[in-house]
């Protein structure tokens, strides 16, 4: 499948990163290692998000090296060599020549030669940008290379004097999504929206939570999204009150709600949608009352996603609506200000209203700059996901409310005027949901 992000854009990202690096520095970034599932079976390979962002290169056993000012090429990739016998078993390899021709690298070498070549590239550089602590095995290799250089100091070698976390530069770049990135994320959102619609329609036939999960995975795969962005949550009844419920094995019961929090991953970019709907296709009066509060809170939060507002504004907007709704329904008492100040809402709403979204479902990027919440700017992508959860054993509320868990989540990107919802193709009003499920 052809990437929706061009080779040129990956090169521009590397150029931008190098422009931010100090003089006489080098950046080293390894690909993700392969992970053993059990015995001799590996997990499906998923590239490290930082490595993917800078290369688009999807193989393990690779290392990206950025050396601003290097005469023979500033962007260097070490990767596996072409090997017809190995490729017969495990599939096509790009090889060093392909890394230059297909991925726009200036130079490339076999990964088997890295111990001989990379120390010479590090030598004479005063600063090394590197994700220290992310891969302990590779950390040790980097330290070994530095030791080799230090052992030659008397012969005139110059080891680096400083290691700096690469994330400080790179993760701020990743926070601002390009038009191409937004296009990929919008496509992922459309696929996930179709999957949620399919699961809603399937629910009335009953069965088990995993039957709805199967509909999600089928739709993802059918559209070329070969992986979920995170383990799918399909919680029927009181299971919807468990925030990260992933067992997905309970029977679907007439009269219960189902909370589905699921999204596909497309070209390593995540989508993240939550919808809550009735197994029977019709909301009860209590379910409807709580649902309308959560939906109003989400609308208020989305309206607060705009340039000039800070990160916490959408959360504050949602929190006011949720807390007032709890008071209006008799689940809380007292004034709105007092309920918020005392955090009386916490038994019913215990999480934040969103998170950054991108190559990671909980994407990188600081939420505060210094002690102040970060101001929202065009290109930032985030989720908006208020919820209410009435625990089944909450003796402080009337029994009719217990065991109802509701969350509504969409993916949005900040624009110059406000925000764009990327996941609007799946219904979320009560009328829309009941009409879809009646088809």
């Amino acid at each position: 499948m052809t990437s929706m992000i061009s080779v040129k854009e990956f090169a521009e990202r590397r150029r931008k990163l190098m422009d931010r690096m100090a003089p006489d520095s080098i950046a080293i970034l390894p690909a993700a290692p392969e992970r053993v599932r059990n015995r001799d079976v590996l997990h499906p390979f998923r590239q490290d998000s930082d490595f993917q962002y800078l290369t688009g290169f999807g193989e393990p056993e690779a290392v990206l090296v950025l050396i601003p000012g290097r005469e023979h090429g500033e962007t260097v990739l070490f990767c596996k060599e072409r090997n017809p016998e190995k490729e017969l078993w495990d599939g096509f390899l790009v090889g060093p020549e392909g890394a230059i021709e297909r991925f726009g690298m200036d130079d490339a070498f076999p990964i088997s030669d890295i111990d001989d070549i990379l120390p010479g590239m590090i030598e004479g550089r005063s600063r090394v940008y590197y994700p220290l602590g992310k891969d302990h095995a590779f950390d040790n290799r980097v330290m070994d290379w530095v030791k080799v250089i230090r052992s030659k100091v008397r012969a005139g070698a110059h080891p680096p004097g400083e290691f700096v976390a690469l994330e400080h530069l790179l993760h701020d770049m990743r926070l601002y999504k390009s038009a191409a990135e937004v296009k990929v994320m919008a496509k992922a959102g459309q696929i996930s929206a179709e999957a949620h619609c399919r699961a809603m329609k399937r629910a009335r036939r009953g069965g088990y939570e995993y039957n709805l999960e199967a509909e999600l995975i089928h739709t993802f795969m059918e559209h070329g999204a070969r992986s979920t962005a995170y383990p799918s949550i399909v919680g029927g009844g009181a299971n919807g009150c468990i925030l990260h419920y992933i067992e997905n094995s309970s029977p679907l019961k007439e009269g219960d709600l189902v909370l589905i929090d699921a999204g596909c991953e497309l070209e390593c970019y995540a989508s993240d949608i939550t919808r809550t709907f009735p197994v029977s296709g019709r909301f009860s009066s209590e379910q409807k009352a709580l649902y309308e509060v959560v939906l109003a809170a989400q609308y208020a939060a989305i309206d607060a996603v705009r340039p000039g507002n800070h990160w916490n504004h959408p959360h504050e907007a949602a929190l006011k609506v949720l807390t007032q709704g709890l008071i209006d329904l008799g689940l809380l008492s007292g004034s709105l200000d007092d309920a918020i100040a005392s955090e009386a809402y916490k038994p019913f709403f215990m999480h934040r209203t969103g998170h950054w979204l991108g190559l990671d479902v909980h994407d990188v990027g600081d939420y505060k700059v210094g002690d102040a919440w970060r101001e929202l700017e065009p290109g930032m992508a985030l989720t908006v996901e208020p919820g209410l959860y009435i625990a089944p054993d909450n003796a402080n509320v009337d029994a009719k409310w217990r065991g109802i868990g509701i969350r509504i989540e969409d993916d949005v990107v900040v624009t110059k005027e406000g925000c764009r919802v990327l996941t609007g193709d799946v219904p979320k009003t009560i009328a829309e949901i009941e009409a879809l499920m009646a088809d």
Side-chain angles (χ1 to χ4, degrees):
M1 192 169 76
T2 303
S3 174
M4 296 171 69
I5 298 176
S6 68
V7 172
K8 180 182 177 183
E9 179 161 328
F10 286 113
E12 289 170 349
R13 293 173 183 176
R14 295 192 294 270
R15 178 76 267 161
K16 186 175 181 180
L17 177 59
M18 286 190 284
D19 288 344
R20 295 183 174 197
M21 291 165 59
D24 299 317
S25 62
I26 182 172
I28 303 170
L29 181 62
E34 292 185 290
R35 306 287 186 184
V36 175
R37 181 184 183 273
N38 59 291
R39 193 168 163 77
D40 57 352
V41 177
L42 299 174
H43 283 285
F45 180 72
R46 201 280 190 183
Q47 189 57 276
D48 172 80
S49 294
D50 287 337
F51 194 91
Q52 174 71 21
Y53 181 79
L54 291 174
T55 68
F57 188 81
E59 294 180 12
E61 295 184 53
V63 177
L64 175 68
V65 182
L66 302 178
I67 314 173
R70 179 176 179 259
E71 183 180 351
H72 300 293
E74 297 177 308
T75 65
V76 181
L77 189 72
F78 292 87
C79 61
K80 290 186 282 189
E81 287 188 276
R82 296 295 308 277
N83 183 328
E85 184 177 347
K86 184 173 178 57
E87 290 176 47
L88 180 65
W89 288 87
D90 298 326
F92 176 80
L93 293 171
V94 171
E97 296 82 5
I100 296 171
E101 294 170 5
R102 295 177 51 200
F103 290 87
M105 299 296 161
D106 297 326
D107 206 354
F109 300 96
I111 190 69
S112 57
D113 293 343
I114 194 168
D115 290 331
D116 298 324
I117 296 173
L118 189 50
M121 294 177 169
I122 298 172
E123 198 274 326
R125 297 282 163 171
S126 60
R127 178 178 293 186
V128 178
Y129 292 92
Y130 173 72
L132 196 63
K134 197 171 185 178
D135 181 338
H136 295 299
F138 199 83
D139 289 352
N140 291 334
R141 294 189 72 183
V142 173
M143 292 302 105
D144 287 341
W145 294 328
V146 173
K147 288 176 184 177
V148 169
I149 300 169
R150 286 175 178 165
S151 71
K152 300 177 181 179
V153 168
R154 292 183 181 180
H158 296 279
E162 185 179 13
F163 274 76
V164 177
L166 180 61
E167 297 91 333
H168 290 324
L169 299 181
L170 184 55
H171 289 180
D172 193 65
M173 289 173 53
R174 282 178 52 188
L175 183 58
Y176 298 88
K177 307 302 187 286
S178 69
E181 287 180 287
V182 172
K183 187 176 180 180
V184 177
M185 294 177 69
K187 179 64 176 176
Q190 291 168 1
I191 295 169
S192 296
E194 182 178 328
H196 276 261
C197 291
R198 184 167 177 148
M200 284 183 188
K201 291 181 178 181
R202 169 66 178 79
R204 290 192 63 187
R205 288 162 49 195
Y208 290 80
E209 293 162 340
Y210 54 72
N211 295 130
L212 305 190
E213 184 180 15
E215 298 294 332
L216 299 168
I217 294 172
H218 171 86
T219 308
F220 297 164
M221 288 277 192
E222 191 172 42
H223 291 285
R226 301 289 304 280
S227 175
T228 60
Y230 53 94
S232 298
I233 297 167
V234 184
N239 292 336
C241 296
I242 303 170
L243 297 183
H244 291 159
Y245 172 81
I246 58 172
E247 190 172 329
N248 302 348
S249 61
S250 295
L252 300 171
K253 298 179 182 178
E254 190 85 5
D256 281 350
L257 294 177
V258 183
L259 186 156
I260 295 183
D261 186 337
C264 72
E265 181 177 278
L266 185 67
E267 295 190 28
C268 290
Y269 284 87
S271 59
D272 188 357
I273 301 175
T274 305
R275 290 294 187 267
T276 311
F277 54 91
V279 173
S280 67
R282 302 286 295 182
F283 288 84
S284 72
S285 58
E286 290 79 20
Q287 292 166 352
K288 186 177 294 187
L290 284 169
Y291 190 94
E292 293 287 14
V293 172
V294 177
L295 183 60
Q298 202 216 24
Y299 284 141
I302 290 174
D303 190 57
V305 178
R306 57 185 61 253
N309 278 356
H310 59 61
W311 166 258
N312 210 42
H313 271 129
H315 179 69
E316 292 170 351
L319 184 58
K320 288 179 181 178
V321 175
L322 292 173
T323 306
Q324 186 61 58
L326 290 167
I327 293 170
D328 293 344
L329 293 175
L331 292 162
L332 288 179
S333 59
S335 71
L336 174 63
D337 290 343
D338 288 345
I340 290 177
S342 66
E343 298 187 335
Y345 59 84
K346 273 291 183 71
F348 310 104
F349 178 53
M350 63 293 294
H351 59 77
R352 302 288 300 178
T353 306
H355 51 78
W356 300 130
L357 184 70
L359 285 166
D360 295 301
V361 67
H362 296 140
D363 207 26
V364 297
D366 293 330
Y367 292 98
K368 283 188 171 183
V369 178
D371 293 328
W373 290 110
R374 187 162 202 154
E375 189 172 298
L376 297 175
E377 299 178 62
M380 294 178 172
L382 58 146
T383 64
V384 181
E385 49 179 307
L388 287 175
Y389 315 90
I390 319 299
D393 58 352
N394 189 335
N396 297 319
V397 301
D398 192 294
K400 66 181 181 179
W401 302 110
R402 295 175 196 163
I404 299 177
I406 298 168
R407 183 164 64 253
I408 306 171
E409 178 180 20
D410 281 295
D411 305 340
V412 305
V413 61
V414 183
T415 63
K416 292 180 180 179
E417 298 80 23
C419 71
R420 173 189 171 192
V421 178
L422 303 179
T423 49
D425 290 346
V426 53
K428 63 181 175 183
T429 69
I430 288 175
E432 290 170 342
I433 291 171
E434 290 185 343
L436 177 70
M437 297 185 69
D439 282 350

